């Protein structure tokens, strides 16, 4: 160090000097920097809101991954029932549900209180969520601060109805719906089939009502005990039933025989009900072994699809009782 009596400070590899720095010292690159605005509670690790959000996300993921009982057959997407009265009615009917969403801070009236009690009794998750989140979940529809998540229905395979009939030791009895699009009609048919000893209901995969929350509610809970099968091709399924020994009888206003003369009622049978407007489709009608009409008074031209099905099922049940 000859020629220079002052020792310069040691230099780090990154070009900065060692030693303590008091304040910023005018060194702008090493000046103290703020952390910016405080993030919301649900984004701060360890914050109660963040923990609650994590729990909700875990519950929703668990519900999404939860397997649905059933064999073959495909269901629709999940459904959200909105509004206090519809939610309470679904819970009373024991519609399968995965979560009950309640808006934060919503005043609890009798319906909300009942909904929470029924959900708790059924083991359904009860989630309190901000109203904005509920708006997002419901797609901005009117929800009155409450929504019920219903998973996709697990349809049976048409073959399962034959297996169920064989296990029962009674002649097979099923109902197939051809083009019935009102879920309330489907629910009512499910209820009638259960009431009169049937083994299940078959619906087409396309252009037909499915087992929505409305259909389940209309069935008055019988959908939990009676299988509803979905057929990719209804005509083909009816032919397969015929090959298995079932007679295929279609309901039609201009039927081949009157219900009073319906002698096939005591044997293995599948009844086919068409839509109210169009009746049976051409291919389905051609598949039927017989078509049956219901005697009506002159003032009445036709019956609702579910009512007509119930009338015929009642007569079938009566004839089977008489045969034994």
């Amino acid at each position: 160090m000859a020629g220079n009596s002052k020792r310069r400070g040691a230099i780090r590899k990154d070009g900065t000097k060692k030693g303590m720095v008091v304040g910023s010292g005018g060194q702008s690159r090493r000046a103290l920097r703020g952390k910016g605005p405080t993030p919301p509670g649900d984004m701060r690790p360890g914050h109660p809101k963040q923990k609650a959000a994590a729990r909700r996300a875990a519950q929703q993921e668990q519900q999404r991954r939860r397997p649905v009982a059933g064999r073959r057959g495909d269901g629709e997407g999940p459904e959200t029932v909105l509004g206090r009265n519809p939610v309470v009615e679904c819970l009373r009917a024991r519609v399968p549900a995965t979560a009950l969403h309640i808006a934060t801070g919503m005043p609890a009236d009798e319906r909300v209180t009942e909904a929470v009690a029924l959900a708790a009794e059924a083991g359904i998750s009860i989630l309190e969520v901000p109203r904005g989140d509920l708006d997002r979940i419901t797609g901005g529809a009117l929800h009155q601060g409450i929504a019920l998540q219903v998973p996709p229905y697990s349809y049976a395979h048409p073959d399962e109805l034959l297996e169920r009939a064989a296990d029962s030791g009674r002649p097979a009895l099923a109902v197939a719906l051809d083009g019935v699009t009102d879920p309330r009609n489907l629910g009512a048919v499910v209820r009638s089939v259960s009431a009169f000893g049937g083994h299940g209901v078959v619906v087409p995969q396309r252009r037909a009502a499915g087992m929505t929350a409305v259909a389940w509610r209309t069935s008055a809970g019988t959908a939990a005990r009676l299988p509803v099968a979905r057929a990719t091709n209804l005509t083909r399924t009816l032919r397969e039933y015929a090959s298995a020994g079932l007679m295929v009888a279609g309901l039609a206003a201009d039927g081949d025989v009157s219900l009073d003369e319906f002698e096939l009622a005591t044997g293995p049978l599948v009844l086919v009900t068409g839509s109210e407007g169009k009746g049976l489709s051409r291919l389905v009608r051609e598949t039927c072994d017989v078509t049956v009409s219901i005697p009506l008074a002159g003032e009445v031209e036709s019956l609702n699809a579910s009512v007509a099905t119930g009338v015929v099922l009642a007569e079938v049940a009566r004839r089977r009782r008489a045969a034994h």
Side-chain angles (χ1 to χ4, degrees), residues 76 177-187 189 203-204 206-212 214-215 273-279 304-306:
E76 291 120 347
L177 299 181
D178 178 24
V180 175
T181 57
D182 189 339
R184 291 169 295 186
N185 274 334
L186 172 57
V189 167
V203 296
R206 297 182 179 179
R207 295 184 293 275
M211 280 303 298
T212 62
V214 172
T273 302
S275 64
E276 292 181 44
K278 299 180 180 179
N304 171 280
S306 60

